[in-house]
Amino acid sequence: MPRTLSIASPILRVALPSPLRRLFDYLPAASAPACGWQPGLRVRVPLGRREVIGVVMELAEKSELPQAQLRAVSEALDDAPLPADWRWLCRFTARYYQHSLGDTLANAMPARLRQGHPMAGRTQTLWQRSPTSPAEPNFGRATRQAELWALLGQHPHGMPGRAISAHGFSHDTLTRLAQKGLIESREITLTAPASPSGHLLASPALPLNREQAAVLAALHEKLDGFHPCLIEGVTGSGKTEVYLQLIEAVATKGKQSLVLVPEIGLTPQTLARFRRRFNVPVLALHSGLTDPERLDVWEAATSGRALIIIGTRSAIFTPLANPGAIIVDEEHDGSYKQQDGLRYHARDLAVARAHHHQIPVVLGSATPSLESLQRGLDGTYRHLHLTQRASRHPPAKIELTDLRHQPRQGGLLPGAIKAIKHTLKAGKQVLVFINRRGFAPTLACHACGWIADCDACDARMTLHRHPPLLACHHCDSRRALPDACPDCGSGDLRALGAGTERTEETLQGLFPKTPVYRIDRDSTRRKDSFEQIIKDIQRGEPCLLVGTQMLAKGHHLPHVTLVVVINADGGLYAADFRALEHSAQLLEQVAGRAGRAADPGRVLVQTLHPDDPHLSQLAEHGYGALARHLLEERRIAQLPPFSFMALLRVESPQIDAATTLAQDAALYLHEWVNTQQSPVRCLGPVPAPMERRQNRYHLHIMLSADKRSQLHQAASVLVQWLEQSRDARRVRWSLDIDPQTLV
Ligand code: ADP
Ligand code: ZN
Ligand code: ZN
């Protein structure tokens, strides 16, 4: 409970952006903020010889430190506490992921707040022509000034300084005009646009089909309580339309909806679809925003003015004044899990948050994670189904084709090339999916067997042609292409296997008159290039798309009728127990790109293991059937979601230092488990699957338990030991609760 303190000299317990899992005690500053000292206020405090920004979390009557050692807060930065729901979420997150609270708070607030800027009353400088200036001043040879003058003439209400510099004008030009008295500036206070009154909808909702209507009705039943739902709906079954109508119902009650989408899914098309529907602003949180814009969204959500907020992973930390519903689209997507620092899972936090607010949370996917699917099956979540595509065309079936003993061109079998020819002739588009960028997975010497390995990692270097070089995709190191084998001097160096560049080159050679678009991280480094390519593709001319998983998700590609998967075998026999689940999700999502509109689709999946039972099940019965089978396997093996895991990663440039710490930690944990008779299982230390990465050695200790509480207790004991261990200061370590990969 927030309470103001009336004690003579209270102690402020402050969370600071530090890895240490504790609060820091301070005395109040001489002048108190208008609201009095309260939890939730940002403060600037001295720490060593620096000043840092933290958040008051508690008020206490006394400190464990003697009064004389306590320093005072330099100043309070807020005149009201940061939102209580947000503080609750940060506390929950820090506790659940066993992370420092101060670091969690810093991660979860907009950069502007982290840097100490004020929360409200943000101002912007607008420039405009001054009313007293002559209509056509003479600029002589100062052409830039004349151009800026002309530009401001087009903006009679003023232009922000940022927009002016975006037009390429220097600050100097601006001040020259101001000194001549031709232009002037004024300050305005920024607020997010208020909701217009009147109709909520800008365009009418679609009439729902029977299945959609049933799902929406189920959601409507319980809008006023915690109501976790899993929508398992095939690709193109109209999940988004259901979300839109749920948001409408929530907004009608004046409540806010928070929509999470995968990193790759927040495209201008998605946003446009939401914005077309509603008359109220749809605020988007994505990587393209400037820091002040991000703060705007935060402020609008905090005040309750923004009714619809859509964003990627970190948007889960947006405060909501009137929370009404949380929606997680493509809930299985890997981008919801942060893979460094604060390793949270936005989907799991969404469920926790909805429970705290007592509101519905909707998880939607064509390929639900086994965690969510199990909760749907066992009744923890309400399990809703969409089995038909909105277009009524059934998703294309997967056809497995045998890669063994067959010639390939650019990774493609003769049968696939024939099917491509056929599809292009029919005026349609083809998507070739290959999960590897670059020209070829590696370069090898045909004379002696030398292979291009990375110097810093236990990995091979990928061969690139544009530009020509060897690159390690694990540490980003690069090397020039050798002219001859470094070991035996032979000139017979050959590219092994195919990547996107090689397949693109092959297809361009086979179909010289057809445009080939390559879509991977290399070809779309420029921000707008991806969007431009998607626009070109959607015009519908026959073309070939070669791409990595960037192409597999979210995009509506109505003219693609053939999908070819170069190699489906990546996840089949991997050491990571989730690899099969993840690769089946990816295959199903790729297959879902085919035949989205009127034309039926075909999906050719090339494999070295056409008889593999998992792959055959996916091809014949789809992801849903395979997922249920995998759940049975997980149950028997006592793996998540039937148990809970935490992974301790230890790394150091010195293998001895890493090994010593990992062994000591494991020993301590084993002893604790024995004396406590804890049912927690502890495995390791073992070398990570790629032990050497970026010249650092990586070791793992795996904890697992049947009950989450048991796991958390053991993990917290381990973290406490590591925090006080002297050796742990020289070795990097991190704890990953519910790890999504074992890399
Ligand atoms: P999902 O989110 O499940 O992939 P979408 O909501 O994107 O599916 O729907 C796929 C396509 O079907 C979209 O073009 C959408 O406009 C259309 N659609 C969805 N629901 C309906 C409906 N009830 N009537 C007509 N078209 C619909
Ligand atoms: Zn050689
Ligand atoms: Zn490397």
Side-chain angles (χ1 to χ4, degrees):
M1 285 300 287
R3 61 192 172 100
T4 32
L5 208 77
S6 53
I7 313 160
S9 54
I11 304 296
L12 306 178
R13 311 207 63 215
V14 181
L16 296 180
S18 139
L20 296 179
R21 289 157 178 80
R22 48 167 277 221
L23 299 177
F24 296 78
D25 292 355
Y26 285 90
L27 298 169
S31 77
C35 62
W37 293 106
Q38 284 190 41
L41 293 171
R42 281 180 306 148
V43 285
R44 191 188 303 279
V45 300
L47 182 72
R49 267 176 284 168
R50 297 179 301 146
E51 285 218 313
V52 296
I53 288 162
V55 180
V56 177
M57 293 311 290
E58 291 166 14
L59 304 179
E61 296 183 6
K62 52 177 187 275
S63 173
E64 283 172 14
L65 292 175
Q67 187 90 1
Q69 281 183 27
L70 292 176
R71 301 170 76 179
V73 163
S74 309
E75 59 169 333
L77 295 172
D78 295 307
D79 43 24
L82 296 175
D85 67 320
W86 175 82
R87 277 184 283 141
W88 175 86
L89 183 62
C90 290
R91 268 190 191 280
F92 176 88
T93 304
R95 198 169 54 232
Y96 186 90
Y97 292 103
Q98 312 245 353
H99 199 77
S100 125
L101 179 59
D103 197 53
T104 305
L105 292 161
N107 259 280
M109 68 172 78
R112 297 283 289 181
L113 295 186
R114 197 157 60 230
Q115 293 152 5
H117 293 275
M119 167 86 172
R122 281 153 301 109
T123 57
Q124 191 176 49
T125 308
L126 289 185
W127 291 90
Q128 62 195 46
R129 287 183 179 181
S130 52
T132 54
S133 60
E136 285 182 41
N138 182 5
F139 290 101
R141 289 192 304 165
T143 48
R144 289 303 279 165
Q145 291 179 34
E147 283 162 11
L148 178 52
W149 171 259
L151 178 69
L152 289 174
Q154 294 162 19
H155 296 268
H157 301 296
M159 260 187 112
R162 197 151 46 92
I164 292 171
S165 56
H167 275 81
F169 290 100
S170 67
H171 190 69
D172 202 40
T173 313
L174 198 63
T175 40
R176 289 272 157 75
L177 283 185
Q179 280 160 1
K180 291 182 184 170
L182 293 172
I183 64 172
E184 60 188 25
S185 66
R186 69 196 159 91
E187 304 273 301
I188 57 154
T189 302
L190 280 183
T191 48
S195 307
S197 51
H199 279 300
L200 180 61
L201 294 189
S203 63
L206 298 178
L208 298 180
N209 64 34
R210 207 150 42 90
E211 283 189 327
Q212 286 174 313
V215 168
L216 189 66
L219 297 175
H220 276 171
E221 269 172 36
K222 239 174 116 182
L223 283 183
D224 295 316
F226 177 56
H227 191 205
C229 295
L230 170 67
I231 303 181
E232 188 177 9
V234 297
T235 49
S237 58
K239 294 182 288 296
T240 310
E241 183 60 35
V242 172
Y243 305 153
L244 288 168
Q245 299 197 20
L246 173 66
I247 293 167
E248 179 191 339
V250 169
T252 304
K253 297 167 29 146
K255 294 200 171 170
Q256 298 170 293
S257 296
L258 176 63
V259 183
L260 299 185
V261 293
E263 252 155 41
I264 234 159
L266 192 51
T267 60
Q269 292 116 284
T270 312
L271 254 177
R273 195 168 163 193
F274 276 75
R275 288 187 169 149
R276 262 200 312 274
R277 176 64 55 88
F278 296 103
N279 241 338
V280 295
V282 173
L283 301 192
L285 280 165
H286 54 79
S287 55
L289 295 186
T290 62
D291 288 344
E293 286 167 337
R294 209 170 272 282
L295 184 58
D296 270 353
V297 176
W298 161 284
E299 206 269 331
T302 305
S303 69
R305 274 201 312 282
L307 286 183
I308 306 169
I309 300 124
I310 179 166
T312 50
R313 179 176 63 226
S314 61
I316 190 58
F317 291 110
T318 312
L320 298 171
N322 282 312
I326 306 181
I327 295 164
V328 185
D329 187 28
E330 307 288 359
E331 65 85 31
H332 67 280
D333 194 87
S335 72
Y336 287 127
K337 170 85 175 173
Q338 177 142 311
Q339 296 291 13
D340 51 18
L342 172 59
R343 293 166 186 263
Y344 67 97
H345 202 303
R347 174 200 61 216
D348 297 344
L349 290 183
V351 175
R353 203 172 167 192
H355 184 261
H356 174 73
H357 293 310
Q358 290 293 301
I359 58 171
V361 55
V362 177
L363 311 179
S365 176
T367 55
S369 64
L370 294 190
E371 274 73 11
S372 300
L373 181 61
Q374 176 56 28
R375 290 185 192 145
L377 294 170
D378 72 17
T380 312
Y381 296 167
R382 176 120 188 221
H383 197 170
L384 304 165
H385 299 268
L386 293 173
T387 61
Q388 309 283 323
R389 281 192 166 180
S391 66
R392 310 241 183 102
H393 298 280
K397 248 187 126 173
I398 291 177
E399 301 166 44
L400 297 180
T401 57
D402 192 345
L403 275 170
R404 289 170 302 180
H405 323 300
Q406 290 219 60
R408 282 173 244 168
Q409 281 185 66
L412 292 156
L413 290 170
I417 293 172
K418 218 169 114 192
I420 293 173
K421 201 179 282 172
H422 192 77
T423 308
L424 293 175
K425 221 165 153 195
K428 301 298 177 196
Q429 300 177 338
V430 179
L431 190 166
V432 177
F433 174 78
I434 173 163
N435 216 356
R436 196 181 279 272
R437 63 194 168 88
F439 185 79
T442 195
L443 183 70
C445 169
H446 207 63
C448 75
W450 168 87
I451 282 182
D453 286 322
C454 176
D455 293 333
C457 308
D458 295 332
R460 291 175 177 176
M461 298 194 94
T462 304
L463 174 63
H464 287 251
R465 276 272 173 89
H466 309 285
L469 48 79
L470 291 170
C472 173
H473 289 182
H474 302 279
C475 71
D476 264 343
S477 69
R478 272 131 208 268
R479 243 193 285 160
L481 284 183
D483 296 326
C485 172
D487 274 7
C488 75
S490 159
D492 192 5
L493 296 177
R494 300 189 189 179
L496 287 191
T500 45
E501 289 181 5
R502 189 174 210 170
T503 304
E504 175 193 22
E505 193 178 290
T506 305
L507 287 170
Q508 199 66 86
L510 289 169
F511 305 99
K513 292 199 201 101
T514 310
V516 181
Y517 298 97
R518 174 163 61 89
I519 297 180
D520 57 28
R521 204 136 60 77
D522 302 316
S523 70
T524 56
R525 279 198 205 284
R526 273 195 31 237
K527 229 184 199 167
D528 48 350
S529 54
F530 187 39
E531 286 310 320
Q532 190 50 50
I533 293 175
I534 294 285
K535 268 200 199 123
D536 288 351
I537 296 167
Q538 283 173 340
R539 279 206 315 269
E541 314 283 316
C543 68
L544 287 152
L545 319 175
V546 179
T548 57
Q549 50 181 327
M550 284 185 81
L551 256 187
K553 299 176 191 173
H555 292 286
H556 191 54
L557 306 169
H559 308 285
V560 169
T561 60
L562 173 67
V563 170
V564 179
V565 177
I566 295 271
N567 188 322
D569 301 337
L572 284 185
Y573 301 100
D576 190 328
F577 72 91
R578 281 186 220 269
L580 191 54
E581 173 192 350
H582 292 157
S583 88
Q585 286 162 345
L586 187 55
L587 279 176
E588 181 99 350
Q589 297 279 351
V590 177
R593 297 310 113 201
R596 300 262 292 184
D599 302 289
R602 224 184 138 190
V603 182
L604 295 180
V605 172
Q606 306 186 147
T607 170
L608 287 168
H609 306 279
D611 304 322
D612 176 82
H614 292 124
L615 202 51
S616 312
Q617 192 170 25
L618 179 69
E620 275 166 43
H621 305 289
Y623 175 84
L626 175 61
R628 284 156 177 83
H629 174 84
L630 291 178
L631 272 175
E632 279 320 301
E633 293 185 359
R634 296 261 187 103
R635 186 197 303 277
I636 292 163
Q638 273 297 302
L639 287 167
F642 302 98
S643 65
F644 301 95
M645 274 189 179
L647 180 63
L648 179 75
R649 294 183 175 88
V650 175
E651 58 171 286
S652 163
Q654 280 92 36
I655 191 165
D656 293 344
T659 310
T660 307
L661 180 73
Q663 280 173 347
D664 289 352
L667 198 65
Y668 177 79
L669 196 62
H670 275 297
E671 275 172 19
W672 178 86
V673 163
N674 284 338
T675 52
Q676 301 289 312
Q677 300 192 319
S678 160
V680 169
R681 299 174 287 271
C682 169
L683 177 75
V686 292
M690 188 182 298
E691 184 176 12
R692 195 169 53 101
R693 208 163 64 237
Q694 232 171 336
N695 269 327
R696 302 177 69 87
Y697 291 86
H698 296 250
L699 294 161
H700 288 174
I701 295 176
M702 175 75 81
L703 277 61
S704 75
D706 298 342
K707 291 219 175 83
R708 191 176 277 298
S709 55
Q710 298 162 346
L711 179 76
H712 274 255
Q713 200 191 1
S716 116
V717 163
L718 182 59
V719 164
Q720 278 169 31
W721 183 83
L722 284 160
E723 276 207 328
Q724 56 72 43
S725 156
R726 288 194 154 272
D727 291 337
R729 287 174 209 163
R730 291 183 291 120
V731 176
R732 219 184 275 166
W733 59 271
S734 67
L735 183 71
D736 192 352
I737 304 278
D738 307 330
Q740 290 298 298
T741 79
L742 306 185
V743 176

